[in-house]
Amino acid sequence: MHSGKNEIRNRAIFIIVTALLAGCLTLWAPLDKVEYRFCDMLFVTEKPVDNRIKIIGIDEKSLEEMGPFSGWTRQQAADLLHAFDPEHSPAVIAFDINFVGQRDEAGDRALAEAASVFPHVTLASYINYGTRVEQSDSGEYQINTMYVEDLELPYEALRNVTSHGFTNAVQDVDNYVRRSVLVESVGDAQSEGEYNFAWTIYREYRESMGEQSSVIPRMTENGVYGFDYTAEPGMYEVYSYVDVAEGRCDPRVFQDSIVLVGAYAQGMMDQYMVPIARGTVMNGVEVQANHVDALLNRRTFVDIDIRIQALAAVLITGFFVWLVSHNSFLVNTVGGVILETGIVLVARTLYNAGYYWKCLLPFVFVLLVFLVRVAMGYLTERVRKHKILSVFRTYMAPQVVDELGKSGNYEIELGGRDRQIAVLFVDIRGFTAMSEGLSPEKIVAILNRYLGMVTEAVFKNGGTLDKFIGDAVMAVYNAPLDVEDYACKAVQTGLDIVAAVDGVNVELRKEFGIEIACGVGVHSGRAVVGNIGCSYRMDYTAIGDTVNVAERLESVAKGGQVLISRDLYEQVQDRYNAVFVGSQSLKGRQEGMDVFLVEGRNGTGTSGKNT
């Protein structure tokens, strides 16, 4: 009873500890890099690009024809704007290029004048972040590593005729860009703040289409939201900057489109790692295109509160640990597959609904718990197998034990099965009288020598040693496993025993000055074979009339005789010579039984001797 209570308590402790470990690891987030990689594989898939978005890239061709970008003036940007047809104007023209400060007066004025022609031109700004110590509302001091020190804006003349948004990338711990801050507070608390570049483009586009209200993405408390990537690098329509600026492209292709202008050459150092393009990088202007695409098609997401994620990890892990501790391997396997599949499906469903669940830890814990359970089950089974086979080796032939090991049937339980078997009994003739004049030590030594010889003969012929009864030995054949030619092997065991007595007697005469003689009885028939006893003490044995007959045959056998029944004789007569010695009246049976004396194998002559 105490053992049962301790087992329940230990199981409960293991469930609680494992579940809490999963929750703590979720809060601590030591595997965030791996977590993001796992979630990227689950969530991020390529989708058709929104054909309203087009890119004009400052590519290698443009740099070759127009010179290095560092030598460009604002006139080149003005030339690009002049290339658009005001009557077939793009809905938004967005420059992912910083026009901070004045450079040359003519170029600056030309760009401002060109931008004023189009109602929705968006330019890039840039936030310089710093670090400072701040005091919270509760009076506690904390370090703010995202303090806005200053904002770099387009020069005033250009700023007056355009909109602007910051292009700072938000990188996760693995340096991949998945998220953005919607708006940053700049200057006094009364100001609206600076919105990010993609949101500003999206807002300008809706206004150009006559849709005054913009759908604000769901965000965390600090204003962060994520956006789902649409396409790998090179999937959006890309036009060379020089081709557009010099009129080689029909401007009507940009009508009502969102046109993003930005770096598209490798040397311009505007590239980022993104989840949809692992193993390569994406140009910043393409990142902005994916961001705008996500806003247009409402594919943004917000991280689920980390405390809720931790609670989910605790509940999922705890449930599965409980499941595997109460059920079979099949139930655990099916349950594990269902749970793992459910975690993936729920995570994807939440992501599509706009909620980001880092589900790797629950997924891994379920897998680890299952593998640990399998390993423990395997080790437990190995230990159980070893213990059982160790027991079997004490009374079964090694080859039979090996076959038992191969079969994988290691069950030791009460009950038996009806089987066709052969049973052998052997006893020393006159041992009681002989032992009266010997010391206990000598008696034990003689018995050990004799029993060792008998055991060797039984095992050599594939028999199972059932029990020692003083100087008597009982062995069965064809149990617990099927043994080919078991009847002949039982008879052969008897012949081997009486033949081996001569060798044993040589030793006994030398050491103790005595000789022994053995009588053997063998019978075959049906018997109940199995573990007999109770749950804490059982013996593997055979019971039934077959056993009784074999014992009675042994009791009438003289030294050196192997007596068998007619039933057994009819099974082995083609292999062994046996002579009919009459019908014996056996104890416990009303009718006599025909008894045969085995003389040896066919053609081998007599194997034993009568005394």
Side-chain angles (χ1 to χ4, degrees):
M1 184 173 179
H2 288 295
S3 177
K5 287 183 178 180
N6 289 336
E7 183 179 352
I8 293 173
R9 183 192 63 191
N10 292 338
R11 185 181 298 167
I13 291 174
F14 181 69
I15 292 172
I16 293 171
V17 169
T18 307
L20 290 178
L21 178 61
C24 291
L25 287 176
T26 301
L27 292 172
W28 180 31
L31 302 176
D32 259 1
K33 290 184 179 180
V34 182
E35 188 92 58
Y36 283 130
R37 178 69 177 269
F38 179 75
C39 290
D40 288 344
M41 293 170 57
L42 289 183
F43 303 153
V44 183
T45 57
E46 191 170 345
K47 294 166 280 291
V49 299
D50 193 319
N51 56 20
R52 293 174 290 182
I53 301 173
K54 294 175 173 56
I55 295 175
I56 296 177
I58 304 173
D59 55 4
E60 301 291 347
K61 178 181 178 181
S62 300
L63 297 178
E64 288 177 5
E65 296 188 24
M66 301 175 66
F69 184 72
S70 59
W72 289 20
T73 67
R74 279 36 182 302
Q75 185 61 54
Q76 276 87 349
D79 292 342
L80 182 71
L81 289 173
H82 289 315
F84 294 114
D85 184 354
E87 293 184 4
H88 302 91
S89 168
V92 180
I93 304 171
F95 285 87
D96 188 12
I97 303 170
N98 288 325
F99 296 110
V100 179
Q102 294 182 329
R103 298 182 64 177
D104 68 288
E105 185 176 348
D108 293 346
R109 184 171 58 252
L111 178 55
E113 289 175 355
S116 66
V117 175
F118 299 94
H120 299 286
V121 177
T122 301
L123 304 176
S125 63
Y126 189 81
I127 296 175
N128 290 311
Y129 290 100
T131 301
R132 75 171 183 178
V133 178
E134 297 178 342
Q135 188 174 17
S136 64
D137 295 337
S138 61
E140 296 182 356
Y141 288 94
Q142 54 190 10
I143 298 176
N144 181 6
T145 59
M146 296 296 289
Y147 169 68
V148 177
E149 288 187 338
D150 64 82
L151 177 65
E152 297 181 5
L153 295 172
Y155 58 93
E156 185 176 1
L158 184 59
R159 187 167 68 241
N160 291 336
V161 294
T162 60
S163 60
H164 48 81
F166 64 87
T167 57
N168 300 68
V170 175
Q171 294 175 299
D172 289 323
V173 293
D174 60 352
N175 295 321
Y176 279 71
V177 177
R178 302 178 184 85
R179 292 165 175 79
S180 182
V181 178
L182 179 64
V183 60
E184 285 283 17
S185 298
V186 179
D188 59 72
Q190 303 300 319
S191 65
E192 182 183 3
E194 183 77 358
Y195 286 86
N196 69 51
F197 188 58
W199 168 263
T200 305
I201 296 170
Y202 164 67
R203 183 186 62 197
E204 292 291 316
Y205 176 77
R206 289 182 66 93
E207 289 179 3
S208 71
M209 295 290 104
E211 302 169 0
Q212 296 301 317
S213 59
S214 301
V215 179
I216 299 175
R218 192 182 294 110
M219 297 176 292
T220 59
E221 292 180 359
N222 56 359
V224 176
Y225 67 93
F227 57 92
D228 184 27
Y229 279 81
T230 301
E232 296 181 358
M235 299 305 294
Y236 286 95
E237 289 184 54
V238 181
Y239 299 86
S240 178
Y241 190 102
V242 67
D243 288 342
V244 178
E246 296 189 4
R248 300 171 193 166
C249 294
D250 187 344
R252 289 175 296 182
V253 301
F254 302 109
Q255 183 175 355
D256 296 331
S257 297
I258 298 173
V259 178
L260 287 136
V261 184
Y264 217 75
Q266 290 186 354
M268 297 185 71
M269 306 299 291
D270 186 29
Q271 294 176 322
Y272 300 90
M273 293 188 293
V274 295
I276 202 168
R278 284 195 172 271
T280 184
V281 290
M282 179 178 282
N283 292 308
V285 69
E286 289 180 305
V287 175
Q288 298 294 350
N290 275 275
H291 192 167
V292 173
D293 200 330
L295 291 169
L296 286 172
N297 296 285
R298 301 186 184 182
R299 294 198 314 273
T300 61
F301 59 82
V302 64
D303 291 306
I304 296 174
D305 190 302
I306 192 64
R307 293 166 294 184
I308 296 177
Q309 295 191 53
L311 178 61
V314 168
L315 294 177
I316 292 171
T317 304
F319 168 75
F320 191 65
V321 175
W322 172 85
L323 181 71
V324 300
S325 64
H326 286 80
N327 293 286
S328 65
F329 176 77
L330 178 61
V331 173
N332 295 339
T333 303
V334 173
V337 170
I338 292 174
L339 196 55
E340 296 282 57
T341 304
I343 289 172
V344 171
L345 292 179
V346 169
R348 287 182 62 90
T349 301
L350 287 172
Y351 182 78
N352 292 333
Y355 296 95
Y356 194 94
W357 175 30
K358 293 188 290 187
C359 59
L360 175 63
L361 274 173
F363 188 91
V364 168
F365 262 83
V366 169
L367 181 61
L368 287 178
V369 169
F370 176 75
L371 293 178
V372 169
R373 181 67 180 87
V374 170
M376 290 178 62
Y378 174 76
L379 293 175
T380 301
E381 183 66 13
R382 290 278 296 180
V383 171
R384 190 173 75 92
K385 170 187 174 181
H386 178 74
K387 288 182 178 178
I388 292 173
L389 293 183
S390 296
V391 173
F392 283 156
R393 285 190 179 94
T394 63
Y395 58 83
M396 292 173 61
Q399 61 268 32
V400 177
V401 176
D402 292 340
E403 284 299 317
L404 185 65
K406 293 176 183 178
S407 73
N409 181 19
Y410 314 120
E411 296 299 325
I412 295 183
E413 55 186 21
L414 288 174
R417 292 184 298 158
D418 184 67
R419 289 180 66 90
Q420 183 75 26
I421 64 171
V423 181
L424 175 146
F425 273 87
V426 58
D427 195 359
I428 299 176
R429 304 293 85 171
F431 182 74
T432 301
M434 179 185 66
S435 63
E436 289 178 354
L438 300 174
S439 67
E441 292 79 10
K442 290 183 178 181
I443 294 173
V444 171
I446 293 169
L447 278 177
N448 286 342
R449 195 77 52 83
Y450 152 72
L451 293 175
M453 176 269 293
V454 172
T455 300
E456 182 179 350
V458 171
F459 283 178
K460 184 179 74 172
N461 290 285
T464 297
L465 195 61
D466 187 291
K467 61 174 68 69
F468 296 136
I469 314 167
D471 61 314
V473 178
M474 172 183 170
V476 297
Y477 296 78
N478 205 42
L481 300 179
D482 293 335
V483 176
E484 186 179 358
D485 206 16
Y486 68 91
C488 289
K489 289 181 177 179
V491 174
Q492 186 61 47
T493 302
L495 293 175
D496 290 346
I497 289 172
V498 296
V501 167
D502 289 341
V504 173
N505 280 335
V506 171
E507 298 176 3
L508 294 180
R509 281 196 301 269
K510 182 178 180 181
E511 293 185 35
F512 307 108
I514 63 169
E515 293 183 353
I516 61 172
C518 297
V520 181
V522 190
H523 178 51
S524 102
R526 303 203 69 83
V528 176
V529 182
N531 290 297
I532 309 300
C534 59
S535 60
Y536 53 86
R537 181 66 174 92
M538 62 180 73
D539 286 316
Y540 187 84
T541 189
I543 57 175
D545 188 58
T546 298
V547 178
N548 297 333
V549 170
E551 185 179 14
R552 300 296 183 266
L553 287 170
E554 177 269 320
S555 68
V556 299
K558 297 178 181 179
Q561 287 187 334
V562 178
L563 300 182
I564 63 175
S565 63
R566 177 174 289 278
D567 290 338
L568 183 55
Y569 169 73
E570 291 175 354
Q571 291 179 262
V572 302
Q573 60 181 328
D574 60 332
R575 301 271 294 279
Y576 290 90
N577 291 323
V579 296
F580 178 66
V581 295
S583 180
Q584 296 279 350
S585 177
L586 301 179
K587 183 179 179 181
R589 298 179 69 91
Q590 295 180 351
E591 299 178 358
M593 171 173 282
D594 291 343
V595 179
F596 291 79
L597 170 65
V598 181
E599 294 183 331
R601 283 182 175 271
N602 285 343
T604 63
T606 302
S607 184
K609 62 180 180 178
N610 298 337
T611 59

